[in-house]
């Protein structure tokens, strides 16, 4: 039996291009949310969870409007966070990113992601489908966990707003990434949130 995690980054929020980390959805973000809802319309979700911050909460609300059978629930395990700190094996280019990050933020993020993995990286007795609406760093950490990559490797794993990533978890085999940063539901003009332009 397979436990599928459908990971969706929240839609674009207002003033995202100015570096704000959260806020109400922009008009583009609302369109992104509706399109990913249409993309997921045929999935028999057993659970739908979202970060309690504004952008993921509003993204979840748009999905619930389009998919009336789901009942999204907020989860603090899906908050935006810093999942790990600098490690000896981390490439030097990443070290400068931690300039404004406190040790308390790192410890809190590590604890949160440990609990999130324990919560959702669990095999199921029968096929299960869970949708998690969250943030780029959280999705990067889940992908890193699936690959059992070094802790720092969540960095540089970037997903666009409302991109779809699917991870499959089974009891007898390692987790596998079914798809990563899937943007098939978004026209080119709605592919936002990546550090570099998406090749077309």
């Amino acid at each position: 039996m397979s436990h599928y995690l459908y990971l969706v980054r929240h839609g674009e929020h207002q003033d995202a291009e100015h570096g704000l980390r959260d806020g109400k959805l922009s008009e583009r973000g609302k369109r992104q949310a509706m399109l990913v809802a249409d993309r997921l319309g045929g999935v028999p979700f057993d659970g739908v969870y979202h970060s309690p911050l504004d952008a993921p909460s509003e993204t979840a609300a748009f999905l619930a409007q389009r998919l009336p059978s789901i009942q999204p629930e907020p989860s603090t395990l899906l908050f935006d966070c810093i999942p790990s700190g600098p490690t000896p094996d981390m490439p030097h280019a990443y070290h400068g990113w931690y300039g404004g990050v406190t040790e308390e933020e790192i410890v809190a993020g590590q604890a949160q992601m440990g609990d999130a993995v324990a919560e959702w990286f669990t095999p199921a007795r029968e096929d299960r489908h869970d949708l998690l609406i969250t943030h780029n760093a959280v999705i990067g950490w889940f992908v890193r966990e699936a690959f059992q990559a070094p802790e720092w490797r969540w960095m540089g794993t970037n997903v666009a707003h409302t991109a779809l990533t699917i991870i499959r978890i089974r009891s007898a085999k390692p987790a596998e990434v079914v798809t990563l940063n899937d943007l098939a539901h978004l026209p080119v003009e709605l592919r936002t949130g990546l550090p570099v332009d998406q090749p077309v």
Side-chain angles (χ1 to χ4, degrees), residues 38-99:
D38 293 344
R39 171 81 183 271
L40 296 170
V43 181
F45 288 116
D46 297 286
V48 179
Y49 309 91
H50 64 88
S51 163
L53 294 179
D54 285 344
S57 295
E58 195 173 350
T59 302
F62 269 94
L63 266 72
Q65 288 176 17
R66 305 283 277 204
L67 307 173
S69 63
I70 69 171
Q71 296 181 324
E73 301 175 37
S75 171
T76 56
L77 297 180
L78 297 175
F79 264 129
D80 200 5
C81 69
I82 308 300
S84 70
T87 56
D89 61 336
M90 174 188 290
H92 184 72
Y94 286 126
H95 282 258
W97 187 87
Y98 285 93

Side-chain angles (χ1 to χ4, degrees), residues 94-134:
Y94 286 126
H95 282 258
W97 187 87
Y98 285 93
V101 177
T102 67
E103 184 65 27
E104 290 76 15
E105 288 178 294
I106 294 170
V107 170
Q110 288 173 324
Q112 176 188 319
M113 286 297 91
D115 289 345
V117 167
E119 176 73 17
W120 283 297
F121 269 70
T122 53
R125 295 186 179 221
E126 53 189 37
D127 283 353
R128 180 175 176 88
H129 303 265
D130 285 326
L131 171 60
L132 311 180
I133 302 163
T134 183

Side-chain angles (χ1 to χ4, degrees), residues 1-198:
M1 298 296 107
S2 296
H3 183 186
Y4 293 95
L5 299 179
Y6 299 75
L7 308 173
V8 171
R9 185 182 178 189
H10 59 79
E12 180 191 69
H13 57 277
Q14 296 171 10
D15 295 322
E17 67 270 23
H18 301 302
L20 294 186
R21 294 183 66 182
D22 189 38
K24 297 296 184 183
L25 293 184
S26 66
E27 289 305 311
R28 275 194 305 204
K30 294 173 184 177
R31 289 178 61 201
Q32 292 164 342
M34 289 187 284
L35 289 169
V36 77
D38 293 344
R39 171 81 183 271
L40 296 170
V43 181
F45 288 116
D46 297 286
V48 179
Y49 309 91
H50 64 88
S51 163
L53 294 179
D54 285 344
S57 295
E58 195 173 350
T59 302
F62 269 94
L63 266 72
Q65 288 176 17
R66 305 283 277 204
L67 307 173
S69 63
I70 69 171
Q71 296 181 324
E73 301 175 37
S75 171
T76 56
L77 297 180
L78 297 175
F79 264 129
D80 200 5
C81 69
I82 308 300
S84 70
T87 56
D89 61 336
M90 174 188 290
H92 184 72
Y94 286 126
H95 282 258
W97 187 87
Y98 285 93
V101 177
T102 67
E103 184 65 27
E104 290 76 15
E105 288 178 294
I106 294 170
V107 170
Q110 288 173 324
Q112 176 188 319
M113 286 297 91
D115 289 345
V117 167
E119 176 73 17
W120 283 297
F121 269 70
T122 53
R125 295 186 179 221
E126 53 189 37
D127 283 353
R128 180 175 176 88
H129 303 265
D130 285 326
L131 171 60
L132 311 180
I133 302 163
T134 183
H135 305 272
N136 188 60
V138 175
I139 295 170
W141 185 264
F142 280 2
V143 170
R144 181 221 63 82
E145 179 70 23
F147 287 133
Q148 288 294 286
E151 283 193 359
W152 62 268
R153 206 59 190 91
W154 65 274
M155 305 180 80
T157 302
N158 297 298
V159 296
H161 293 123
T162 70
L164 176 63
T165 295
I166 303 173
I167 295 175
R168 181 187 185 196
I169 298 152
R170 294 170 290 176
S171 58
K173 295 182 179 178
E176 61 182 2
V177 176
V178 177
T179 188
L180 173 63
N181 195 43
D182 186 338
L183 303 176
H185 52 288
L186 297 176
V188 172
E189 66 271 17
L190 293 184
R191 297 179 179 183
T192 62
L194 292 170
V196 295
D197 291 336
Q198 175 77 13

